[in-house]
Amino acid sequence: MRLKKIALALAVAMAATLPASAAKTAPDTISARKAFVDLPMEVLDMLPRETRLDMLDYFDADSIYLATNNLDGKSKLKTVTPDFLEVQITEGSTLQVKVLRCKDGNDLVMTLYTTGEPGGNQDTKVQFLDPKMNLLQAKRYLPEPRPSDYFEIPKGCSTSMKEIEGMIPFYSFVYEAEAGSPEVKSRLCTDDILTVEDAALVELFKRPEIIYIWNGKQFRKK
């Protein structure tokens, strides 16, 4: 009996001396508002950190606050939830911050920076960061867009994907996230870059949007 007690005491003592790396680490989590405040300037250079904090303070007080950005324009917060934040940076640019929960319990931060006037030709820059605000490789988490994914051409149709691709001089993709949803919606923008005739033909086959769903590791096309 005494030997068992000694063995137990030794086991406890050895466990206490294990390096910190051997202990189970807590999940690395973050909220959308903290991510907004901590975003590095290379991701959000229009709003200094102190300005972001002021915007959140006014938002919490239910006060409409137009913050001065680095171009002397006005920016405002539109939505703030635990997993989602949207801010109007300028009249022609918005930023969405989306927190994604991973299967291992850690969080991932996705930012969607969209430029261009609504109803015109817009484009979104998609970036991913860890809770410590280190930039990650975006294509690990969201497939790179393929133009053919945005079209549905019936079998036997006289119009081919190659013909459509020849009409579009360049591609712009818009991404949008929502609070409380694992989905990201994407659409191909062809507004203002096609002739009236080409636009009419392209619209016959263009999908309204593509939906991607977060599965805890990456986005998959629905």
Side-chain angles (χ1 to χ4, degrees):
M1 190 67 169
R2 184 181 177 188
L3 289 175
K4 288 184 178 180
K5 289 183 178 180
I6 293 174
L8 179 60
L10 287 172
V12 172
M14 289 176 66
T17 58
L18 285 174
S21 59
K24 187 176 181 181
T25 57
D28 203 356
T29 59
I30 194 170
S31 65
R33 61 186 298 137
K34 178 166 175 47
F36 171 63
V37 171
D38 292 344
L39 285 176
M41 293 298 286
E42 60 192 299
V43 177
L44 179 57
D45 60 353
M46 292 284 286
L47 296 170
R49 191 174 192 276
E50 290 302 316
T51 301
R52 302 177 206 176
L53 288 167
D54 288 342
M55 294 173 77
L56 285 168
D57 286 343
Y58 279 95
F59 189 89
D60 291 341
D62 294 326
S63 177
I64 298 175
Y65 178 59
L66 298 178
T68 302
N69 57 50
N70 284 345
L71 289 180
D72 291 329
K74 297 300 181 181
S75 305
K76 67 177 181 178
L77 279 172
K78 299 173 69 176
T79 307
V80 180
T81 71
D83 79 321
F84 180 80
L85 180 146
E86 184 171 9
V87 55
Q88 187 81 39
I89 306 295
T90 66
E91 288 186 4
S93 64
T94 60
L95 175 74
Q96 292 185 335
V97 179
K98 178 70 175 178
V99 175
L100 305 166
R101 177 57 57 90
C102 297
K103 285 186 176 179
D104 60 7
N106 296 315
D107 284 345
L108 202 63
V109 177
M110 176 179 65
T111 62
L112 306 175
Y113 199 118
T114 300
T115 55
E117 296 290 339
N121 197 58
Q122 296 179 289
D123 190 59
T124 301
K125 183 176 183 179
V126 184
Q127 293 180 285
F128 291 87
L129 306 94
D130 65 23
K132 294 181 176 59
M133 296 294 104
N134 297 307
L135 279 167
L136 306 171
Q137 194 174 38
K139 65 181 180 181
R140 287 176 54 192
Y141 305 101
L142 183 67
E144 292 184 340
R146 297 186 306 172
S148 59
D149 290 341
Y150 293 80
F151 291 91
E152 185 173 9
I153 301 177
K155 190 175 181 180
C157 182
S158 59
T159 302
S160 67
M161 187 64 220
K162 185 175 181 180
E163 182 181 353
I164 289 178
E165 287 178 340
M167 298 176 184
I168 303 174
F170 61 89
Y171 293 94
S172 298
F173 302 94
V174 175
Y175 292 83
E176 295 178 338
E178 295 180 2
S181 172
E183 296 184 349
V184 165
K185 296 177 181 178
S186 175
R187 57 186 173 85
L188 171 65
C189 272
T190 53
D191 302 316
D192 302 334
I193 63 172
L194 300 178
T195 65
V196 174
E197 293 79 9
D198 287 350
L201 180 62
V202 165
E203 286 298 322
L204 288 176
F205 307 105
K206 191 171 74 171
R207 299 176 186 272
E209 63 186 15
I210 291 177
I211 298 176
Y212 295 94
I213 300 179
W214 178 253
N215 65 9
K217 287 186 176 181
Q218 58 188 181
F219 282 102
R220 291 289 190 185
K221 189 170 67 172
K222 186 174 180 181

